Amino acid sequence: MDLSAINPLILVASLMVAATPILLAAIGELVVEKAGILNLGVEGMMITGAICGFAIAVETGSPFWGFIAAAVGGALLSLVFAFLTQYLLSNQVATGLALTLFGLGLSSLLGQKYMGVKPPSTSKLDIPFLSDIPGIGRVLFQHDPMVYFSIALIAAVWLMLKYSRIGLVLRAVGENHDAAHALGYKVVRIRIGAIAFGGACAGLGGAYLSLIRVPQWTEGMTAGAGWIALAIVVFASWRPWRILMGAYLFGGVTVLQLNLQAAGLAIPVEYLSMSPYLITIIVLVIINRSTQSAPAELGQVFHASH
Amino acid sequence: MLRLEKRPSPSKMWTALTPILAVILTMIAGGVLFWILGKDPVEAIRTIFWDPLFHEDFAAYSRPQLLVKAGPLILIAVGLSLGFRAGIWNIGAEGQYIIGAICGAAVGLAFYPSESFLIFPAMVIAGALGGWAWAMIPGILRTRFNTNEILVSLLLVYVAEQLLASMSLGLLRNPEGRGFPGSRNFRDFPAAHNGEIFANTGMHWGVVAAFIAVIFVYILLSRHILGFQIRVAGQSPKAARFAGVNPNRLILFCLGTSGALAGLAGLFEVSGPAGQISIDFNSGYGFTAIIVAFLGRLNPIGILLAGLLMALTYIGGELAQLMLGLPSAAIQAFQGMLLFFLLAVDVLSNYRIKFSRSEGA
């Protein structure tokens, strides 16, 4: 085994890439959960976004349109969830599961033509001056645009939740939907908006996997990323910047175990591959003392009788 | 304008009718899906739902398959329904199924090539214990640390899949297999083989276990105090607390039982129809069983029927793949759709639909 082959700077650069899909999906789910909705269909929306983005990027030759299509695809699928839970008042846990099961089937159906196809490559941003800083310049400032977009999205969600009127209303709906309804806010409409935003983010996360991180289409390629995103929202205690921390921590573990596999560590590959999931579970256990910070109406059905 | 009015208690009539309505809606939507894929919708639906049972050439092969596929689905779904009723969400049955299969098979393989009649019962016990132990992880984490059991049970599926890969490439690999992955085949190991009890019926011990589980759970829910507690905890957690229900005990019981049943299903599958531990012997039954549990309205008898119906879509799906070139993913999407429609029409049993003019306010 040769651990010296692992370069910490490259490790940091690749963990940012590894974390981005989960980061995108998790920040979307955070907004959904802040509105009091538990959507367990993240995995299904991610994989649908992955194939929508992949297909459109291949057909148009433009990753940009691929990402747009992924966001639209994820959002459309999430609207099915929104319709069922908001208008037909179905159980959110069961409906989220249905979304995941359906999304996995739908995506492999859509993706049959695209097995083994190479997607158009996404050009990297080369931020002038900053990327010339020796050492960290290349690590932090020479990624594809989506890496920066995801960080900007965190900042935007944080600002929105903390300082804007929409954010306040969203939180009110999530904390006490009856009171918000009594104040005249359109609880259902706000929630549908949040769900669609979450779907779009999950779709983007999926497309990042199929277009940049892997880049290829294979069935079931999200391999639990959506569930890990859900775990990271809990880990982050529903705070945007902690999502960044959680996702990068997870990205670090993933990249490190891949590097250890490549370096030929004496532990069998399968045990290294299960480590990200195990570590997610361990983190969930450690962090769970703070569940009080969960939105009060999380997962509750809202039915206005008049 | 349409308005929903909550019923004081779910309508009995609609509770029974909604699964049928959902199946019909899924057939229509599935037909549209198949039509988009360029297949004749009527023919596709007939191939999936009718031909496996009544086609003169295929039925002889397909009918026994019905029990083979329905057995594990029913066994897992009956266990899951207990937790789902109480609001305890074990969605990692696939993992418990894999671990049950690994544990049971390991016990059997350890005694190869013994011919003792005790081997198979020992495997059954090991399978159940394996699934139970795997489900106890989310159970204990939930009761001790208040960790979300949905996420933990699901994440453990991926861990179980990696363990399965490791086992079929390493510890449990057939020493005479010329280096191919996968364990010894149980067909060549009669004392441990879960063969058909009656020839050409598809009836194996897993199916028997499924029927026993259905009866057992039915009695539990209708006659036993624990069944009552499960129902109360699901319908009104507050009332359950006043009634002296110990939530932690309930969590451990529901997760443990569903895990043990999923483990049993895995063991019966691996020692019978699948034949050996291999990287991909598990075919997603643990996830499909979630659909079965809901389609059966979390009721043991309903689950029995739902399991048979879902098994039919598996077999019919394979047939449609063969005859019409319908992609296997289409069937997966079809099964997912069924769950959507089921949850959607559920509104009819819990709410009354009122037509009213939209008010000014």
Side-chain angles (χ1 to χ4, degrees):
Chain A
M1 188 182 68
D2 185 15
L3 281 181
S4 62
I6 301 174
N7 179 339
L9 283 178
I10 294 177
L11 201 68
V12 172
S14 46
L15 87 78
M16 289 174 76
V17 173
T20 301
I22 305 158
L23 183 60
L24 285 164
I27 193 67
E29 179 67 14
L30 176 116
V31 171
V32 178
E33 291 191 11
K34 273 286 182 193
I37 301 290
L38 180 64
N39 184 354
L40 291 181
V42 182
E43 179 87 0
M45 300 185 296
M46 266 185 106
I47 192 117
T48 305
I51 186 58
C52 289
F54 192 88
I56 298 298
V58 168
E59 299 300 338
T60 61
S62 146
F64 174 77
W65 288 111
F67 277 109
I68 298 287
V72 172
L76 280 179
L77 191 62
S78 75
L79 285 178
V80 177
F81 174 87
F83 178 71
L84 259 67
T85 57
Q86 299 308 301
Y87 288 115
L88 301 181
L89 309 171
S90 66
N91 178 308
Q92 292 174 16
V93 173
T95 314
L97 283 175
L99 203 61
T100 290
L101 294 173
F102 177 71
L104 287 170
L106 180 72
S107 64
S108 38
L109 191 61
L110 294 172
Q112 286 181 323
K113 277 200 329 191
Y114 297 98
M115 298 275 249
V117 178
K118 215 173 136 359
S121 67
T122 312
S123 57
K124 300 216 162 152
L125 275 187
D126 198 345
I127 301 171
F129 308 117
L130 288 178
S131 62
D132 294 333
I133 304 170
I136 60 158
R138 292 239 314 279
V139 172
L140 296 180
F141 300 108
Q142 259 189 347
H143 286 292
D144 53 87
M146 284 308 284
V147 169
Y148 305 110
F149 174 76
S150 66
I151 298 170
L153 198 62
I154 297 263
V157 167
W158 173 69
L159 283 172
M160 189 269 288
L161 286 176
K162 189 148 191 195
Y163 295 109
S164 80
R165 191 178 159 71
I166 306 173
L168 189 67
V169 173
L170 189 86
R171 272 157 46 209
V173 166
E175 292 297 339
N176 191 335
H177 49 215
D178 291 321
H181 176 70
L183 284 171
Y185 295 123
K186 306 281 183 202
V187 174
V188 168
R189 262 181 237 172
I190 291 163
R191 286 187 163 166
I192 290 175
I195 293 168
F197 176 78
C201 288
L204 285 177
Y208 191 87
L209 271 174
S210 63
L211 287 176
I212 298 176
R213 168 119 165 86
V214 176
Q216 210 183 25
W217 165 251
T218 42
E219 282 183 17
M221 67 181 301
T222 42
W227 295 101
I228 287 167
L230 278 161
I232 282 178
V233 177
V234 178
F235 165 83
S237 316
W238 293 269
R239 292 189 197 160
W241 289 110
R242 289 208 198 160
I243 296 259
L244 185 74
M245 196 171 83
Y248 278 17
L249 190 76
F250 177 82
V253 173
T254 311
V255 169
L256 189 66
Q257 64 88 6
L258 286 175
N259 273 293
L260 289 175
Q261 283 187 19
L265 192 70
I267 302 174
V269 175
E270 292 84 18
Y271 293 93
L272 285 172
S273 307
M274 68 175 78
S275 62
Y277 305 106
L278 286 176
I279 286 171
T280 308
I281 292 173
I282 293 168
V283 165
L284 273 177
V285 171
I286 296 170
I287 226 68
N288 239 309
R289 277 161 292 156
S290 60
T291 29
Q292 290 88 337
S293 48
E297 301 279 14
L298 192 58
Q300 302 299 320
V301 171
F302 170 69
H303 177 231
S305 45
H306 50 81
Chain B
M1 201 181 141
L2 290 175
R3 224 156 47 80
L4 296 175
E5 192 182 280
K6 194 156 175 62
R7 294 177 196 270
S9 68
S11 146
K12 283 240 167 65
M13 183 188 79
W14 279 112
T15 309
L17 280 183
T18 42
I20 299 166
L21 186 61
V23 170
I24 294 170
L25 286 172
T26 313
M27 281 187 184
I28 296 170
V32 173
L33 174 76
F34 301 146
W35 177 70
I36 293 170
L37 291 169
K39 316 285 177 207
D40 178 1
V42 178
E43 201 187 346
I45 295 291
R46 204 199 62 219
T47 313
I48 295 172
F49 287 98
W50 186 259
D51 285 359
L53 295 176
F54 303 110
H55 192 282
E56 50 209 38
D57 298 331
F58 306 118
Y61 165 78
S62 315
R63 274 190 208 147
Q65 281 294 309
L66 199 63
L67 285 182
V68 171
K69 298 258 197 284
L73 287 175
I74 294 170
L75 200 51
I76 302 172
V78 158
L80 292 180
S81 70
L82 288 178
F84 289 179
R85 266 173 184 261
I88 299 158
W89 299 92
N90 172 15
I91 57 170
E94 184 77 4
Q96 293 136 24
Y97 171 87
I98 292 173
I99 298 298
I102 292 177
C103 290
V107 166
L109 292 169
F111 291 106
Y112 180 86
S114 157
E115 282 167 15
S116 164
F117 69 92
L118 288 173
I119 290 184
F120 193 64
M123 286 166 68
V124 171
I125 292 168
L129 279 179
W132 174 81
W134 203 247
M136 273 299 120
I137 302 173
I140 290 171
L141 293 184
R142 165 79 196 263
T143 51
R144 279 285 160 83
F145 303 102
N146 198 23
T147 312
N148 184 321
E149 83 280 8
I150 303 177
L151 292 173
V152 175
S153 64
L154 192 280
L155 288 170
L156 282 173
V157 173
Y158 295 95
V159 177
E161 279 177 353
Q162 293 296 333
L163 261 178
L164 176 66
S166 154
M167 287 299 158
S168 57
L169 295 169
L171 265 179
L172 295 183
R173 182 158 74 182
N174 183 358
E176 289 148 26
R178 297 191 208 85
F180 282 105
S183 73
R184 277 182 206 279
N185 200 312
F186 283 96
R187 284 189 195 93
D188 313 324
F189 184 9
H193 184 219
N194 169 26
E196 283 188 321
I197 301 172
F198 307 108
N200 298 326
T201 55
M203 191 77 167
H204 62 72
W205 287 111
V207 182
V208 176
F211 285 126
I212 295 173
V214 166
I215 296 166
F216 177 78
V217 169
Y218 183 81
I219 294 171
L220 177 83
L221 285 175
S222 57
R223 295 272 179 275
H224 196 275
I225 180 77
L226 210 54
F228 170 74
Q229 293 186 342
I230 287 171
R231 284 184 291 147
V232 173
Q235 282 163 8
S236 168
K238 260 189 207 150
R241 232 172 300 143
F242 283 120
V245 177
N246 178 345
N248 283 353
R249 221 188 63 170
L250 211 57
I251 290 169
L252 292 180
F253 174 80
C254 288
L255 283 173
T257 309
S258 55
L261 290 179
L264 275 181
L267 174 272
F268 287 126
E269 184 72 14
V270 83
S271 58
Q276 61 174 161
I277 289 278
S278 59
I279 292 180
D280 50 2
F281 92 90
N282 59 317
S283 30
Y285 286 145
F287 292 118
T288 315
I290 297 173
I291 306 180
V292 172
F294 279 107
L295 184 62
R297 317 276 10 197
L298 306 181
N299 171 311
I301 311 293
I303 287 172
L304 187 72
L305 299 174
L308 288 168
L309 182 74
M310 201 54 104
L312 188 62
T313 65
Y314 267 111
I315 303 159
E318 279 170 20
L319 202 60
Q321 212 177 331
L322 198 73
M323 302 295 295
L324 311 172
L326 198 70
S328 62
I331 294 302
Q332 214 187 335
F334 188 75
Q335 293 173 342
M337 259 195 288
L338 179 57
L339 187 48
F340 270 141
F341 280 115
L342 200 67
L343 294 166
V345 294
D346 227 15
V347 72
L348 294 171
S349 37
N350 294 322
Y351 295 86
R352 210 174 266 132
I353 295 178
K354 283 266 165 105
F355 297 89
S356 65
R357 291 218 184 96
S358 98
E359 298 140 55

